[in-house]
Amino acid sequence: MSWKQHSNREEFLKSNLKDLCPGKRVLDFCCGSGMNGIDALRWGASHVTFTDVRRETFENYISDKENSKALNKDNHVWVYADANYIQYCRDTVDLKNLDIIIYHGHFYHARNHTEIIKMFSESNAEYIIFETKGEDVADSTIHWHPENTTSIWNAIGNSVTELVGAPSTGACKLFFEYYGFEGITDKKQNWRHEEHDEAITQVRTLYKRKG
């Protein structure tokens, strides 16, 4: 993550998450270094569940004393969970004991986008921070099964719809809406992936459960 990406990430979370955190239980899903969940603890979250497939990145980050100040033995747990195996995530993560979910920086790498959003909807979380690629990405699409499906609501309800490629913000919002969430804040960021020489548009969205 570049300095600019890190700065924009921190700015978005501070603007949209900081005031929601006090006393709340947070899931930092596919946490990587865990910086998002650690920020939530700094802002008063009562507990954070960190999940990922590699603990080393988390351990390296918290080896810096400044980064580990917010942690104690009672306010967090690290859980092995692979986003590409949703049933395993359901079995290992206490979805009913959550108030906020942060899913930031991994969604484009997952294979089962629809199932991830559905799993989040099954939790008790009231707020979800979710990052996607922007609508102008060429391979962003909703794929319909069968091809002649005309109603997105029927398609989603009958589990015949999936997100493929790098799902756009608009496509994801349709799924979140179906599962009872509304996007209340968006922040777009443009940057260039130097290794792949690719222009990237990221959109961070704060979703709130309706009702």
Side-chain angles (χ1 to χ4, degrees):
M1 180 183 291
S2 69
W3 178 86
K4 183 178 180 181
Q5 285 175 270
H6 176 77
S7 177
N8 287 336
R9 173 206 69 85
E10 189 173 41
E11 178 186 342
F12 181 83
L13 291 181
K14 185 177 290 187
S15 298
N16 295 285
L17 187 63
K18 184 177 181 179
D19 291 342
L20 302 176
C21 280
K24 295 299 192 294
R25 301 157 299 180
V26 177
L27 170 63
D28 189 354
F29 190 69
C30 297
C31 68
S33 68
M35 66 174 66
N36 299 317
I38 288 173
D39 278 344
L41 288 170
R42 287 173 175 149
W43 297 330
S46 61
H47 189 273
V48 173
T49 299
F50 298 92
T51 77
D52 211 306
V53 294
R54 287 184 294 273
R55 188 181 174 94
E56 293 89 340
T57 308
F58 178 71
E59 293 291 346
N60 288 339
Y61 187 73
I62 66 172
S63 65
D64 184 319
K65 290 183 178 179
E66 188 63 32
N67 295 332
S68 64
K69 280 183 178 179
L71 300 174
N72 64 55
K73 63 182 181 65
D74 297 319
N75 71 1
H76 76 285
V77 62
W78 190 95
V79 177
Y80 176 90
D82 188 335
N84 289 313
Y85 298 93
I86 290 299
Q87 189 54 54
Y88 185 85
C89 294
R90 286 191 175 100
D91 292 341
T92 56
V93 177
D94 186 2
L95 294 169
K96 298 302 182 183
N97 196 30
L98 295 172
D99 302 300
I100 299 170
I101 295 173
I102 304 171
Y103 187 34
H104 185 282
H106 177 269
F107 192 64
Y108 343 122
H109 305 298
R111 299 193 300 266
N112 51 346
H113 313 101
T114 310
E115 285 298 307
I116 291 172
I117 295 175
K118 183 179 180 182
M119 179 182 70
F120 288 169
S121 76
E122 295 167 356
S123 76
N124 283 343
E126 184 178 2
Y127 294 96
I128 299 175
I129 296 281
F130 202 82
E131 184 189 56
T132 53
K133 286 189 177 181
E135 290 85 346
D136 52 347
V137 178
D139 60 351
S140 298
T141 186
I142 297 178
H143 189 60
W144 306 101
H145 303 288
E147 293 300 326
N148 62 356
T149 300
T150 56
S151 168
I152 185 170
W153 309 119
N154 289 337
I156 296 173
N158 294 327
S159 299
V160 294
T161 310
E162 62 179 294
L163 296 168
V164 297
S168 69
T169 304
C172 290
K173 281 186 175 180
L174 288 173
F175 278 80
F176 271 108
E177 183 180 348
Y178 176 81
Y179 287 120
F181 286 83
E182 59 181 337
I184 58 176
T185 306
D186 283 330
K187 179 69 175 180
K188 182 178 288 189
Q189 175 188 0
N190 298 308
W191 60 285
R192 176 160 293 278
H193 194 302
E194 295 180 0
E195 183 179 349
H196 297 139
D197 192 27
E198 178 186 6
I200 301 291
T201 299
Q202 291 172 302
V203 180
R204 299 176 176 96
T205 304
L206 173 64
Y207 289 94
K208 185 180 188 299
R209 192 181 293 273
K210 297 178 184 178

